[in-house]
């Protein structure tokens, strides 16, 4: 049963039923300690209210994605270092998901020192909120959480962002959310003010990042597809953050794409969403598209066959927002690694393990035992000397020495195949090998000691149209020219 948590406070957010009145934030205190500490809970009666938040039937929305490190002047080696650090941190955060007393999310993860000052996920989604003049926001796209939130202009504690913060007073369509609204009542991260029963949220992440703010509803504007104009959707709920502390880059908040009811796909009631990541290490690469709804034509600009595999939930952790798939094995060259499918499966007792297809992990990360087999097989099959210390190549565990980029192009690299349930993901070479600093050819895979979870990262998903079919619990994928979609 859903619930909200009450606090003894002065009014946090002034309720404004009239459209011309703006959201107002006020200081407040909490009995028993700071707002981010664990709160006592009481059960509320759930009273339904209706706020249309569904676009016209059949309409597909589009948004642009940009990589968090795009146009920031990093060398290829620095880009890989940052991607690897974020990937290790995000994978390490999966250790926390099995602790019943921990309610943080892994979008920004527990982490390595190298992640200091970095965003927690890999791609930013660009959309607009409010009316009559929609305000642009850039949010971290995260398939591992469900809350949508952005910093607001009236924030008390804020992190730096390159664009103006969202200004609630400039929107005539913004509304506060009462605690009886299911979007508030069903979330363990939502709380309630005593005076006017309006909803606010408190969300924490495992690296100590915290966001607190008002839960509001407003109009979102998305691009249409090539056959339609902009799509305007009223009444979507999101967090208007006024206390925001953590590691962020070019973004203003997070857009949850996970299973939860607060996520963007869930609120839009779309049966599918998809993304197609352009090349990550190409400085000339265009932005990547994300589609909310059924793509116009999945075969458009496809360069291979459409395949599918079942998506699964974690039965031991129902609140887990990640999308799981069944990985059954791995082939390097012509040799299938001697690994049982159970090495990639979810432990139904404690929720550990499993294989996650993830937008927020850059480099695919395996349990240590699996990665060691991959390492040995690539060493055996690649006819190049191994670099003794590859720390200068982004910290990747396995790199091979080459004389030049031209020589690297001549190397016969063994194929890499992920055997998913019912479908093989046969990766192109550029999705798992990368030339770093002109003289090291590196395997873009990683191992993590202490956890049994496998994360299929977005470097391995480059130039592949990935469709999350939520209605049928299937993942479709097809090689594609993402920069032409």
């Amino acid at each position: 049963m859903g619930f909200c948590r009450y606090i003894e406070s002065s009014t946090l957010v002034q309720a404004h039923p009239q459209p011309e009145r703006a959201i107002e934030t006020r200081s407040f205190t909490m009995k028993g300690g700071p707002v981010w500490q664990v709160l006592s809970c009481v059960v509320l009666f759930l009273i339904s209210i209706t706020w249309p938040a569904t676009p016209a039937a059949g309409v597909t929305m589009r948004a642009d994605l940009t990589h968090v490190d795009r146009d920031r002047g990093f060398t290829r080696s620095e880009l890989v270092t940052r991607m690897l650090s974020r990937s290790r941190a995000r994978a390490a955060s999966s250790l926390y998901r099995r602790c019943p007393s921990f309610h943080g999310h892994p979008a920004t993860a527990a982490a390595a020192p190298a992640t200091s000052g970095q965003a927690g996920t890999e791609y930013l989604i660009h959309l607009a909120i409010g009316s009559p003049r929609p305000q642009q926001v850039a949010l971290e796209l995260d398939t591992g959480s469900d809350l949508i939130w952005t910093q607001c202009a009236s924030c008390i504690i804020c992190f730096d962002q390159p664009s103006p913060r969202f200004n609630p007073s400039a929107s005539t369509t913004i509304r506060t959310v009462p605690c009886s609204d299911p979007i508030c009542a069903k979330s363990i991260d939502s709380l309630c003010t005593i005076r006017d029963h309006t909803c606010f949220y408190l969300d924490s992440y495992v690296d100590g990042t915290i966001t607190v703010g008002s839960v509001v509803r407003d109009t979102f504007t998305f691009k249409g597809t090539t056959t339609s104009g902009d799509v305007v959707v009223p009444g979507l709920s999101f967090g208007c953050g006024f206390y925001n502390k953590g590691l962020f880059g070019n973004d203003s908040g997070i857009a949850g794409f996970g299973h939860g009811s607060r996520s963007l796909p869930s609120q839009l009631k779309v049966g599918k969403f998809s993304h197609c990541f352009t090349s990550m290490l190409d400085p000339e690469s265009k932005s990547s598209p994300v589609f909310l709804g059924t793509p116009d034509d999945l075969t458009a600009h496809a360069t291979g066959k459409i395949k599918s595999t079942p998506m699964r939930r974690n039965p031991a952790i129902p609140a887990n927002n990640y999308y799981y798939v069944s990985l059954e094995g791995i082939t390097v060259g012509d040799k299938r690694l001697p690994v049982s499918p159970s090495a990639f499966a979810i432990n139904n007792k404690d929720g550990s393990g499993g294989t996650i297809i993830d937008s927020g992990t850059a480099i695919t990360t395996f349990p240590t035992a699996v990665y060691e087999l991959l390492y040995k097989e690539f060493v055996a099959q690649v006819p190049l000397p191994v670099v003794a210390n590859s720390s200068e190549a982004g910290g990747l565990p396995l790199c091979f020495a080459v004389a030049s980029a031209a020589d690297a192009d001549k190397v016969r690299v063994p194929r890499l195949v992920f055997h998913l349930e019912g479908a093989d993901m046969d990766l192109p070479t550029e999705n798992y090998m990368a030339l770093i600093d002109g003289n090291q050819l590196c395997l873009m895979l990683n191992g993590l000691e202490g956890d049994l979870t496998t994360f299929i990262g977005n470097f391995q998903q480059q130039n592949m149209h990935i469709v999350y079919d939520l209605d049928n619990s299937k993942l479709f994928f097809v090689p594609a020219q993402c920069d032409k979609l």
Side-chain angles (χ1 to χ4, degrees), residues 33 57 173 207 214 250 338 348 365 403 419 458:
T173 48
D207 66 345
S214 310
N250 289 329
N348 291 334
T365 302
H419 300 289
N458 48 55

Side-chain angles (χ1 to χ4, degrees), residues 221-253:
T221 300
F222 304 87
K223 290 182 179 180
T225 61
T226 54
T227 59
S228 64
D230 287 352
V231 180
V232 178
V233 185
L236 292 181
S237 76
F238 67 100
C240 184
F242 60 78
Y243 182 104
N244 313 294
K245 189 175 180 181
L247 304 178
F248 293 89
N250 289 329
D251 53 310
S252 63

Side-chain angles (χ1 to χ4, degrees), residues 63-83:
D64 290 330
L65 301 176
T66 56
H67 192 266
V68 292
D69 289 332
R70 182 178 176 179
D71 298 329
R72 298 183 70 183
F74 295 116
T75 65
R76 177 173 283 213
S77 178
E78 289 170 336
L79 286 172
V80 172
T81 297
R82 293 171 66 83
M83 287 191 291

